[in-house]
Amino acid sequence: LEDMFADDALWEREHADIAASYGQIGAFRGRLAESAETLLACLRLQDEISMRCEHIYAYAKMRRDEDNANDRYQAFTDMAMAVFTEAMAACSYIAPEILAAGEERLEGFMAENAELAAYRHFLGDLLREKAHILSESEEAILALASEPLHSAGDIYTKFTNADLKFPSVTGEDGEPAELSEGRYVRFLESADRRVRDEAFHKLYATYGLYRNTIAASLAASVKKDRFLSQARKYGSSIEMFLDANKIPVSIYDNLIKTVGERLGLLHRYIALRKRALGLDELRMYDLYAPIVAESDRRVGFEEAAELVKAGLATLGPQYGADLAKGISSGWIDVYENANKTRGAYSWGTYRSHPYILLNYQDKLDDVLTLAHELGHSMHSYYTNRAQPYVYSEYKIFVAEVASTVNETIMLNHLIGAARDSREKAYLLNRQLETIRGTLFRQTMFAEFEKLIHGKLQSGVALTPDTLSTSYKILNDKYFAAQVRVDEEIALEWARIPHFYHAFYVYQYATGISAATTLASRIAAEGAPAIERYLRFLSGGGSDYPINLLLEAGVDLTATEPIESVLRVFEGALDELERII
């Protein structure tokens, strides 16, 4: 991280300089319609302030993630977020003032100034959203209200991560073991059904004690979304969230409809699980029990890096060379340390190279995680190299595409090179579980979100019973054909933090659909498909996500990409059924 700031003193100086720069942006207030040069200068200064805010925040947060016990970087993170909030408020007049200038004047400015013309997509997007951008004073109020409006999600996070305590579970060894959200899935993956049963019932019994509190927090979040959609003159919350990326609601609806029509595949896979586990009746707590033993193959990081480079060679020599440079150039924090943030992610800023946080454990799954996170990093690397800052942030809608392309290609490579039928079965099951979790499960979540937002809009109160009944009906739809759907699963909505980021999860499902299609095209077509794909990776936010994917060869307005990933699921299921 010294590549970002050589020491903390430089970070503190930059933080102070940014805080002192707001007066400069205020100097353009009331002047944006004067000339092309004035508008260009203001937009460049806005970009500069945003770029600097992102840089100090990313450094502080990644330093904190190295050691969460270090209060210094928690303070830095809070300081950076406060500056970011103030910067948003200081710049809040810009969009309304640009819109007040009118389309004709803006077109004239861009015609006379080639440098301003680089902002054409940015300005066109503003004009597209003109009906939803408020007056300067109203925008300033919404900017200042952003933090309290999102407090429901913050309260939920603190409650579930810090205050919510679970009873212990008797582990496989007969000893008490701590139950937590972090360990829950591990208990569900136990070979001992008693452990799975106990963990499941104790977890949901605990959530049940607080169902009223958690229902109130989720209802408050949904009400926040309704308030913002009404304030911005949208017909519904879903319209507002999808319109940010110019995504038609029909894509959301097609996803739910297409997956819903093919639930027979999911039921067939669950039937295979039932047979493999030797159970007469499958329960909800059996859905994560391993049906194939975890591969005992140990893969050190150096070997993993070579495997990833070999597996992703199909993306061409340029991609391979850039990937190798990233691996060897200090992008990756590899191993677990005391107080280090769990999991894995890729991050960075326009002014830095990408960074990857891992907690590498020498498992075959870690190889796939490395490939996945490198997909994010390469997306950022190519975008930042090709685009000006204003288009450097690719949209959330495509954020998981590049990572999933890498993971899909890598998984296919490992399956093809499996050392024996046991390892192949493990990898095939990994593929099936990935699609089950990313396509089927996230689509079910998306259907639940649309349902509860629609209920609130039509005047139905989001009580604990309303939420639980709605969620149980969906679980029956997805699982009852092969599973005895335990009543407790009706409370699962209470433990899903994504519901506080409305209409987000569907993008996991569309992302894996797009990625599977791209990986198939690359395998089938070679160089032409690779060239289109690299253009997509370099596109950033220079166009709407649907258009960037269309240029790469994926039409998400059609159902074919969803059907493509369902075909992959079916093919892996066919092969796994033959093996076990």
Side-chain angles (χ1 to χ4, degrees):
L1 290 170
E2 289 79 5
D3 290 351
M4 298 181 75
F5 290 99
D7 56 49
D8 289 351
L10 288 175
W11 184 95
E12 290 174 305
R13 190 181 309 160
E14 176 71 353
H15 175 267
D17 286 347
I18 296 170
S21 68
Y22 298 150
Q24 299 174 39
I25 201 75
F28 290 98
R29 188 186 295 270
R31 298 178 50 216
L32 298 187
E34 279 182 1
S35 66
E37 289 69 30
T38 300
L39 178 57
L40 177 63
C42 179
L43 291 176
R44 283 179 169 171
L45 181 57
Q46 178 181 236
D47 287 349
E48 179 68 20
I49 291 172
S50 178
M51 188 190 314
R52 293 171 71 188
C53 285
E54 287 178 4
H55 202 64
I56 64 168
Y57 179 76
Y59 174 85
K61 180 66 166 59
M62 286 192 283
R63 277 289 187 214
R64 191 186 80 179
D65 288 345
E66 288 181 330
D67 181 1
N68 284 278
N70 189 330
D71 291 342
R72 177 182 183 84
Y73 295 115
Q74 177 59 59
F76 274 23
T77 302
D78 293 344
M79 290 161 64
M81 180 53 71
V83 163
F84 225 141
T85 301
E86 291 167 11
M88 285 173 55
C91 295
S92 62
Y93 75 89
I94 294 173
E97 200 168 308
I98 288 173
L99 291 174
E103 186 173 0
E104 186 176 343
R105 182 175 287 253
L106 292 174
E107 284 291 345
F109 284 171
M110 285 187 284
E112 67 184 63
N113 189 312
E115 292 177 283
L116 183 62
Y119 286 86
R120 179 173 292 280
H121 178 67
F122 169 79
L123 294 171
D125 201 36
L126 270 183
L127 291 168
R128 180 182 69 84
E129 296 182 352
K130 183 174 183 178
H132 309 294
I133 295 177
L134 310 180
S135 68
E136 179 184 331
S137 61
E138 289 169 330
E139 287 292 337
I141 290 169
L142 287 184
L144 291 170
S146 176
E147 192 172 350
L149 281 173
H150 290 83
S151 60
D154 294 337
I155 292 167
Y156 172 81
T157 298
K158 286 180 172 59
F159 174 69
T160 53
N161 288 331
D163 297 335
L164 190 62
K165 304 300 179 187
F166 300 94
S168 63
V169 170
T170 304
E172 292 179 1
D173 58 1
E175 295 296 319
E178 182 184 351
L179 174 61
S180 66
E181 274 291 350
R183 295 184 174 195
Y184 176 61
V185 173
R186 242 183 295 168
F187 286 123
L188 290 192
E189 291 172 347
S190 170
D192 188 336
R193 199 179 193 207
R194 179 199 54 77
V195 174
R196 303 197 299 265
D197 183 334
E198 186 179 342
F200 178 85
H201 285 96
K202 284 187 173 180
L203 182 103
Y204 286 112
T206 305
Y207 273 105
L209 295 174
Y210 305 101
R211 63 200 296 270
N212 294 302
T213 298
I214 301 175
S217 72
L218 181 55
S221 183
V222 177
K223 288 174 184 175
K224 173 261 298 180
D225 297 331
R226 181 182 63 175
F227 162 74
L228 288 173
S229 67
Q230 290 175 335
R232 293 202 175 279
K233 305 180 180 68
Y234 283 97
S236 64
S237 297
I238 190 171
E239 285 180 25
M240 177 180 71
F241 282 101
L242 270 62
D243 187 58
N245 292 327
K246 202 182 177 184
I247 306 296
V249 176
S250 60
I251 286 180
Y252 199 100
D253 293 337
N254 279 342
L255 172 68
I256 292 171
K257 181 175 182 291
T258 305
V259 171
E261 289 172 346
R262 299 298 305 279
L263 287 178
L265 280 176
L266 177 63
H267 300 155
R268 187 176 134 204
Y269 171 54
I270 294 171
L272 174 62
R273 291 190 126 267
K274 185 192 296 185
R275 177 165 60 83
L277 291 169
L279 296 174
D280 295 328
E281 179 183 67
L282 210 63
R283 303 285 289 271
M284 295 302 290
Y285 49 77
D286 295 319
L287 290 176
Y288 294 91
I291 61 171
V292 179
E294 183 177 3
S295 173
D296 57 5
R297 180 178 173 186
R298 312 312 288 171
V299 185
F301 181 74
E302 297 302 326
E303 182 186 354
E306 294 305 313
L307 277 172
V308 167
K309 285 187 277 189
L312 298 180
T314 185
L315 288 169
Q318 184 61 59
Y319 189 96
D322 293 332
L323 184 90
K325 180 175 72 173
I327 291 172
S328 64
S329 300
W331 290 13
I332 307 172
D333 182 351
V334 179
Y335 296 108
E336 185 176 20
N337 284 306
N339 303 315
K340 180 179 172 181
T341 293
R342 294 195 306 256
Y345 66 66
S346 170
W347 203 6
T349 73
Y350 192 70
R351 291 168 58 182
S352 79
H353 57 72
Y355 287 90
I356 294 174
L357 178 141
L358 296 176
N359 283 275
Y360 195 83
Q361 303 287 334
D362 292 346
K363 295 181 178 180
L364 208 50
D365 271 2
D366 294 325
V367 179
L368 294 167
T369 300
L370 175 62
H372 181 102
E373 298 305 335
L374 279 165
H376 286 303
S377 291
M378 296 302 289
H379 196 176
S380 298
Y381 178 75
Y382 282 118
T383 286
N384 289 345
R385 199 167 63 172
Q387 298 298 332
Y389 174 76
V390 67
Y391 302 132
S392 64
E393 187 174 337
Y394 45 80
K395 300 296 185 182
I396 293 295
F397 188 81
V398 295
E400 291 297 325
V401 171
S403 57
T404 310
V405 165
N406 272 20
E407 189 174 345
T408 301
I409 291 172
M410 193 68 220
L411 191 50
N412 288 335
H413 176 76
L414 291 174
I415 290 170
R419 296 179 175 184
D420 51 42
S421 61
R422 177 186 170 190
E423 184 171 292
K424 186 172 187 178
Y426 171 75
L427 291 165
L428 285 167
N429 193 54
R430 171 69 155 74
Q431 188 171 41
L432 289 164
E433 282 295 299
T434 297
I435 297 173
R436 178 168 80 103
T438 309
L439 182 72
F440 290 106
R441 182 169 170 80
Q442 302 303 326
T443 300
M444 187 183 81
F445 285 172
E447 192 168 358
F448 177 71
E449 280 194 284
K450 188 176 182 189
L451 189 63
I452 63 173
H453 280 259
K455 283 182 181 295
L456 185 75
Q457 184 157 336
S458 62
V460 176
L462 297 183
T463 65
D465 286 344
T466 300
L467 294 168
S468 295
T469 300
S470 300
Y471 199 80
K472 177 63 163 55
I473 288 169
L474 286 174
N475 274 273
D476 287 339
K477 171 182 172 181
Y478 274 72
F479 298 108
Q482 291 292 337
V483 183
R484 177 180 161 188
V485 180
D486 298 85
E487 289 297 325
E488 290 87 347
I489 201 66
L491 271 173
E492 190 180 33
W493 58 267
R495 55 177 294 263
I496 308 299
H498 288 85
F499 294 153
Y500 293 82
H501 303 277
F503 303 109
Y504 178 95
V505 295
Y506 86 99
Q507 296 167 120
Y508 289 115
T510 54
I512 196 172
S513 300
T516 302
T517 303
L518 287 167
S520 297
R521 296 269 169 82
I522 290 165
E525 299 176 28
I530 293 170
E531 185 179 343
R532 292 196 304 269
Y533 180 59
L534 293 180
R535 282 202 304 270
F536 162 75
L537 294 183
S538 302
S542 62
D543 203 346
Y544 297 112
I546 292 295
N547 296 341
L548 291 169
L549 284 170
L550 193 60
E551 186 181 348
V554 180
D555 182 6
L556 281 177
T557 64
T559 61
E560 169 54 28
I562 305 165
E563 291 163 359
S564 174
V565 72
L566 288 166
R567 284 195 296 271
V568 170
F569 186 86
E570 186 172 20
L573 181 56
D574 288 342
E575 201 162 354
L576 188 60
E577 284 174 333
R578 284 193 292 270
I579 295 175
I580 65 172

